[in-house]
Amino acid sequence: MYICLCNAVTDHDIRREAAAGVQSFAELQARTGCSDCCGCCESEARATLDQAVSQVLCQLPPAAA
């Protein structure tokens, strides 16, 4: 599903960035351009990133988290 129409960023793109180590919204913006145009998608993009980061952290072994 497209999250940021202005820059064609999908929920899959955001999950992939989280899996690659992105944890902050600022870093997501820098890497994808998400929400740097009209800003209408910011709340959905933040929620998607937060969920993706949580999933990544849950998959890490206890010593790595």
Side-chain angles (χ1 to χ4, degrees), residues 15-63:
R15 287 193 304 271
R16 183 177 51 239
E17 292 297 336
V22 171
Q23 292 187 0
S24 73
F25 188 68
E27 189 176 2
L28 178 69
Q29 284 184 298
R31 292 177 69 158
T32 66
C34 186
S35 189
D36 71 354
C37 191
C38 75
C40 290
C41 64
E42 183 173 345
S43 62
E44 186 65 28
R46 284 182 182 274
T48 302
L49 178 63
D50 289 346
Q51 182 182 25
V53 168
S54 293
Q55 289 175 342
V56 167
L57 292 176
C58 285
Q59 293 173 357
L60 292 176

